[in-house]
């Protein structure tokens, strides 16, 4: 495919299909998948054990090891994420049971999360289908129609301390203990959350028995909270950037929402590796069954995709202030911009 023809596919009116073009990358490589599991699980277990040992010996500098351990826990979640898309192995049962097992350690009920995440992929960027698996984002018009109290609650929700501090802790420690959002969606979400909750108890009890309550908490709590914050940050930046894409249902297009409503978070190589290439998120939304370790192949073979919705690590810091979708300018704006533009 030439750059010219590929560029044509990026145009809103194009009938060409990037998902079909990228289908060739969907095949997982079993030995590579096993390797990726090994280089994630083993370092995580080693760092956790070393941190606990250091604390037991009262070498509290060992708590610094919780930082890279949290990074590997994020990578473990990426493995679970790929299992949910059926992209880590060709066998569906293997993906599902591996995902359920990993969910015990990420505190994420696999089948419940898989279902809400599928809704996210099917509706990302659709203003008429918000509410499940996304960051609550209001339009300027909706925000102005809120009462003073409702505006306060929305501003509180979007405050960085809540969004990246209290929010991640609540999500992974509390919210995932019940199938919130799918309470009336049948038995599966309940089974997923309850069985995961029960399964979490066993390794926690075993570890406390082996290493003691205080060392366990001193190591596990920061790992969980750091990983949760990093995970929420990644998800936030993947869709909450200035030139993202939102549209009403009648105008919504899967391809356009994937390309322009999902970012290419172009991270430095070490961060790209530890986050499982999830920053190549526009490609992931175009073809979710591509294994995470094959996403760089797409950028290599189709370099015209590299600059689509691209944001750097430094640029991503400015995304924190973006809170409202302006339907007129078709971009995310800050509360301050909304206040300045508000009719007097």
């Amino acid at each position: 495919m030439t750059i010219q023809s590929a560029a044509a596919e990026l145009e809103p009116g194009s009938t060409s299909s990037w998902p079909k073009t990228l289908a060739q990358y969907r095949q997982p490589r079993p030995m590579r998948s096993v390797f990726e599991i090994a280089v994630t699980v083993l370092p995580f277990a080693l760092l956790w054990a070393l941190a606990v040992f250091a604390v037991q010996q009262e070498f509290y500098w060992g708590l610094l090891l919780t930082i890279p351990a949290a990074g590997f826990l994020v990578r473990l979640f990426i493995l679970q994420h790929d299992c949910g898309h059926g992209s880590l192995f060709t066998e569906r049962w293997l993906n599902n049971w591996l995902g359920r097992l990993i969910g015990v350690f990420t505190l994420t009920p696999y089948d419940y999360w898989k279902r809400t995440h599928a809704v996210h992929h099917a509706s990302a960027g659709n203003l008429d289908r918000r509410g499940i698996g996304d960051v609550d984002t209001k339009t300027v018009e909706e925000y102005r129609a809120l009462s003073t109290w409702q505006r306060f609650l929305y501003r509180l929700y979007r405050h960085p301390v809540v969004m990246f501090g209290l929010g991640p802790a609540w999500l992974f420690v509390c919210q995932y203990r019940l199938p919130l959002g799918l309470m009336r969606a049948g038995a599966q979400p309940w089974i997923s959350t309850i069985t995961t909750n029960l399964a979490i108890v066993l390794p926690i009890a075993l570890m406390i028995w082996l290493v003691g309550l205080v060392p366990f908490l001193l190591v596990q709590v920061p790992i969980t909270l750091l990983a949760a914050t990093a995970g929420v940050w990644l998800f936030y930046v993947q869709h909450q950037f200035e030139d993202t894409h939102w549209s009403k249902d009648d105008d919504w297009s899967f391809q356009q929402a994937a390309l322009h409503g999902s970012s290419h978070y172009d991270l430095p190589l070490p961060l790209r590796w530890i986050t499982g290439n999830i920053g190549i998120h526009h490609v992931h939304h175009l073809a979710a069954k591509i294994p995470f370790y094959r996403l760089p192949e797409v950028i290599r073979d189709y370099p015209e995709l590299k600059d689509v919705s691209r944001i750097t690590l430094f640029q991503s810091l400015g995304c924190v202030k973006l809170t409202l979708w302006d339907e007129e300018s078709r971009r995310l704006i800050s509360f301050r911009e909304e206040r300045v533009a508000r009719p007097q």
Side-chain angles (χ1 to χ4, degrees), residues 20-54:
K20 290 181 180 178
T21 301
L22 302 180
Q24 60 185 305
Y25 299 93
R26 292 173 52 173
Q27 188 66 23
R29 295 165 179 163
M31 292 307 297
R32 175 67 183 274
S33 295
V34 170
F35 171 79
E36 296 293 347
I37 293 170
V39 298
T40 304
V41 173
L42 295 179
F44 173 73
L46 179 61
L47 288 165
W48 194 93
L50 288 174
V52 167
F53 177 77

Side-chain angles (χ1 to χ4, degrees), residues 230-335:
V232 168
W233 169 257
L234 287 169
F235 184 77
Y236 180 92
V237 172
Q238 287 159 4
H239 299 284
Q240 301 282 313
F241 55 101
E242 183 174 2
D243 295 320
T244 189
H245 175 89
W246 286 89
S247 59
K248 295 290 181 65
D249 198 35
D250 291 342
D251 299 321
W252 186 84
S253 158
F254 172 83
Q255 180 164 286
Q256 287 302 307
L259 275 171
H260 302 294
S262 306
S263 67
H264 175 199
Y265 194 19
D266 198 357
L267 293 168
L269 186 58
L271 293 178
R272 197 181 314 159
W273 185 86
I274 202 70
T275 58
N277 301 313
I278 199 64
I280 310 177
H281 209 63
H282 59 326
V283 175
H284 169 64
H285 265 258
L286 284 172
K289 287 185 71 67
I290 297 177
F292 74 93
Y293 50 78
R294 299 199 65 182
L295 290 172
E297 295 178 36
V298 177
I299 298 297
R300 179 198 66 199
D301 296 343
Y302 298 95
E304 59 273 23
L305 286 172
K306 182 177 182 180
D307 292 326
V308 177
S309 302
R310 177 178 177 268
I311 56 175
T312 65
L313 180 60
F314 178 75
Q315 290 171 330
S316 70
L317 301 178
C319 296
V320 174
K321 65 182 181 181
L322 304 176
T323 53
L324 297 165
W325 176 249
D326 187 345
E327 292 188 87
E328 291 187 6
S329 63
R330 300 196 61 77
R331 64 188 184 92
L332 279 179
I333 64 172
S334 65
F335 287 124

